[in-house]
Amino acid sequence: MTELIEILKQYRDKSFVMSVLCQMCSDYYSRYKNIISIPLIVSSSIMTILNASNFDAESMKYSNVVLNTATALVLSMSSAFKVVEKCSAFRSASIKFTKLTHLIEDKILYNESLDSEDVRDIIMQYDAINESIEYAFPESIKKKVIAIYKGNRVMPNILNCETDMITKDVSIDVKKPADEVINSSIVYNRPRLPVVLETREIILENNSVIA
C-alpha cells in the first residue's frame, strides 16, 4: 500500500507540473494571438472609415489593395504557425492535467480501497493526456518550469530526461580502427531510467503478491 501511495504522489507531482507547463504555453501563444488580432482590428476600422468617406475611386482602389493584402498576410501567418490551435490545445491539456491532479489527491486521501488497478488507471490517464498533445513545448517555457520546480517536485519525463553530449578534444590516431576513434571522441551521459518503468515494475510485483 505504501509503495502504491508513493507512486501516486509521483504522478500527482508530474501531473501538476504538466498542468503548469501547458498553462504557461497557452498564455505564451495567447499573447501572440492578441498581437496578431491588433492589425486585423486596425485594418478593419480603417477600411470602414475609408468606405464611409467621399474619396475618389482611384484612391480607394489602392487603399483597399494595401489593406486587403496586409490582412491576408496576417491571417496567413496566423494559420501557418497555428497560434490559435496551439493556445486552445495547451489550455485543454492544462485543464485535463489539473483534473487528474485532483483525482490523484482524492485517491491519496481516501486510500482504504487503493489497489494496483487504481494506480494503473492513473498512469494510463496521464499517458493519454500526454499523447493528446500534438504540439511541441517552447524551450523557453520548459526552462522556466524546470527552474521553478526542479528539486521541489517529481518532474515529468519531458523535463527530466535530457541527454548531454560532451565532446573531448583528442588527437585522432590513424592507426586505430574507426569505431575506437569515434568512441574515444564522444562521451554520452545517458539519462536515467524513466520513473514510469520503475513504477510499472512495482505494480507488477504487487499483482504477483496479491495473486
Side-chain angles (χ1 to χ4, degrees):
M1 179 69 72
T2 304
E3 292 177 345
L4 296 179
I5 293 176
E6 288 300 319
I7 294 172
L8 286 181
K9 288 181 178 179
Q10 291 179 9
Y11 275 88
R12 176 196 60 190
D13 287 356
K14 288 183 178 183
S15 183
F16 172 76
V17 174
M18 285 298 295
S19 69
V20 174
L21 175 63
C22 291
Q23 183 59 50
M24 292 179 68
C25 290
S26 177
D27 295 339
Y28 174 82
Y29 287 110
S30 179
R31 286 193 294 269
Y32 281 101
K33 183 179 70 174
N34 294 333
I35 292 173
I36 291 174
S37 298
I38 293 174
L40 298 178
I41 295 172
V42 172
S43 63
S44 298
S45 301
I46 294 175
M47 289 179 66
T48 302
I49 294 172
L50 291 177
N51 290 329
S53 303
N54 294 324
F55 292 105
D56 59 279
E58 191 67 20
S59 299
M60 288 292 298
K61 182 177 69 174
Y62 290 115
S63 300
N64 285 330
V65 169
V66 172
L67 291 173
N68 289 332
T69 303
T71 301
L73 179 62
V74 173
L75 291 174
S76 299
M77 291 178 62
S78 176
S79 177
F81 291 108
K82 298 184 178 180
V83 176
V84 178
E85 291 84 350
K86 290 179 180 179
C87 179
S88 177
F90 283 122
R91 174 61 179 166
S92 176
S94 176
I95 294 174
K96 292 178 181 178
F97 277 119
T98 301
K99 290 182 178 179
L100 181 60
T101 303
H102 294 165
L103 176 61
I104 297 173
E105 289 176 344
D106 184 71
K107 288 186 178 295
I108 293 174
L109 185 60
Y110 303 101
N111 56 22
E112 292 82 2
S113 60
L114 182 67
D115 57 17
S116 59
E117 289 298 326
D118 295 326
V119 178
R120 181 180 287 107
D121 181 64
I122 292 296
I123 295 175
M124 291 179 64
Q125 290 187 52
Y126 177 84
D127 291 341
I129 299 173
N130 271 307
E131 291 173 2
S132 67
I133 302 175
E134 301 178 359
Y135 305 107
F137 298 95
E139 288 297 326
S140 60
I141 304 298
K142 290 169 63 176
K143 290 179 181 178
K144 288 181 182 179
V145 175
I146 291 174
I148 295 172
Y149 294 109
K150 188 174 184 180
N152 301 321
R153 297 271 187 171
V154 178
M155 304 294 282
N157 293 342
I158 194 172
L159 302 178
N160 198 35
C161 293
E162 295 182 356
T163 304
D164 298 327
M165 185 176 73
I166 304 174
T167 303
K168 297 192 299 183
D169 185 13
V170 295
S171 58
I172 298 177
D173 188 356
V174 294
K175 296 181 180 180
K176 287 185 177 181
D179 292 341
E180 294 183 13
V181 173
I182 294 173
N183 292 333
S184 64
S185 301
I186 302 176
V187 178
Y188 291 98
N189 181 15
R190 291 183 175 273
R192 63 185 183 184
L193 187 67
V195 178
V196 64
L197 298 180
E198 299 174 359
T199 56
R200 284 173 176 166
E201 289 178 0
I202 294 174
I203 293 174
L204 292 175
E205 291 176 1
N206 290 332
N207 283 339
S208 62
V209 171
I210 294 173

